[in-house]
Amino acid sequence: MGESFDKEEPVDELETGMPERVHMLVTCMVDAFYPAVGISVAEILEAHGISVEFSPDQTCCGQPAFNGGFWSDARAMARHTLDVFSMTDGPIVVPSGSCVDMIVHHYPEILKDDAEYMSTAQDVAARTHEFTQFLVDKLGLTDVGASFCGRAAYHPSCHGLRSLNIREQPQTLLAHVDGMQQVELPCAEECCGFGGLFSVTMSAISGDILERKLDHLIESGVDLLVGTDVSCLMHMAGGLQRRGSRIEVKHIAELLNEHG
């Protein structure tokens, strides 16, 4: 992956309609706990001729502070993120629906009275896309050449599903994974119980919701659980580990980057 520091010229598009370059907002959890997810996103895009730029100046998008009611802190983090990405042109790709929701819907909300940053918030929001959304809706890709031998279930994360309407995009990509059998997860659209700070401040309720989700998952007999947000996946992977389950857990980018 290349690095971007200075203001860039507008992105030209290839004859295929694909941009020559995108910028990745990698998210805190991917950076700290699941770097393979960010690497997978970059490798998939680069395999299709798209250069991936990553600015090391990026930090948290501010979602935890926003959800906790600390809007002043969230605004400070939002402004920093906007400063970083205002130095770029072209699409911004994020392997997390929750962070995309923060940028697309809540940056304009919390900065609506900030004359200096409001237009920048709107510009960055318009350029920001969740990974599967970008592949399917923007690039028109449905088959990236992935393969996996086994049975897999997909968990739709709440922010992506309800705030960004990410429903068909992951399923379409998974349907084209060679050798994989998709299994419908019972009550798939129910929350896994993570909910960001909710899992900390209301841990007992969060745990009960998780146990219900894991019951359905284990009963489905799958080998692999796939999702689009590592926060939900981390929550469920921890529960599976405590139960002694052998079900693997992968972000969809990791699965789509497997080639037999």
Side-chain angles (χ1 to χ4, degrees):
M1 291 184 290
E3 292 184 352
S4 173
F5 302 96
D6 301 319
K7 182 68 176 179
E8 301 161 357
E9 295 300 320
V11 175
D12 293 323
E13 291 192 350
L14 304 176
E15 291 182 2
T16 59
M18 292 191 181
E20 292 182 350
R21 178 181 61 241
V22 302
H23 304 273
M24 189 195 306
L25 191 156
V26 74
T27 81
C28 297
M29 295 193 71
V30 169
D31 182 47
F33 301 112
Y34 300 97
V37 173
I39 293 170
S40 293
V41 169
E43 290 181 347
I44 290 168
L45 293 173
E46 288 172 347
H48 288 83
I50 302 171
S51 174
V52 179
E53 302 287 342
F54 170 84
S55 171
D57 293 330
Q58 62 182 272
T59 58
C60 179
C61 70
Q63 182 194 163
F66 175 79
N67 290 343
F70 300 100
W71 281 30
S72 178
D73 293 332
R75 288 188 188 96
M77 286 182 271
R79 291 186 186 105
H80 175 77
T81 301
L82 294 173
D83 285 342
V84 171
F85 286 98
S86 66
M87 301 297 291
T88 71
D89 288 289
I92 300 164
V93 179
V94 190
S96 165
S98 60
C99 294
V100 171
D101 176 54
M102 181 66 190
I103 294 169
V104 170
H105 294 128
H106 299 304
Y107 276 17
E109 176 187 3
I110 64 177
L111 296 171
K112 64 182 179 181
D113 297 322
D114 189 324
E116 180 181 358
Y117 279 91
M118 184 57 188
S119 62
T120 304
Q122 292 172 331
D123 170 69
V124 169
R127 295 191 286 124
T128 301
H129 313 279
E130 184 272 337
F131 175 59
T132 64
Q133 192 180 49
F134 184 69
L135 289 183
V136 176
D137 296 345
K138 298 300 177 180
L139 301 185
L141 289 174
T142 58
D143 188 345
V144 297
S147 62
F148 175 82
C149 183
R151 292 160 52 87
Y154 169 66
H155 166 71
S157 295
C158 294
H159 278 101
L161 180 67
R162 295 172 175 84
S163 296
L164 302 173
N165 198 30
I166 297 171
R167 183 183 301 270
E168 300 300 328
Q169 300 93 328
Q171 299 281 17
T172 298
L173 291 162
L174 293 173
H176 289 86
V177 175
D178 185 50
M180 191 183 80
Q181 180 183 349
Q182 279 189 267
V183 176
E184 184 174 352
L185 184 62
C187 304
E189 295 187 1
E190 290 186 3
C191 179
C192 71
F194 181 70
L197 294 179
F198 172 80
S199 63
V200 177
T201 59
M202 298 187 177
S203 58
I205 299 175
S206 171
D208 286 345
I209 297 171
L210 173 64
E211 292 306 311
R212 174 179 168 85
K213 174 67 73 170
L214 295 183
D215 286 343
H216 291 310
L217 180 62
I218 291 171
E219 289 169 5
S220 70
V222 296
D223 308 297
L224 175 69
L225 171 66
V226 184
T228 56
D229 280 66
V230 296
S231 53
C232 300
L233 295 175
M234 180 179 70
H235 188 56
M236 290 185 282
L240 287 170
Q241 185 179 40
R242 288 189 292 274
R243 289 194 182 196
S245 172
R246 294 185 178 181
I247 296 174
E248 288 188 88
V249 179
K250 290 182 182 291
H251 187 278
I252 192 169
E254 296 176 288
L255 173 62
L256 295 178
N257 202 34
E258 293 190 5
H259 303 286

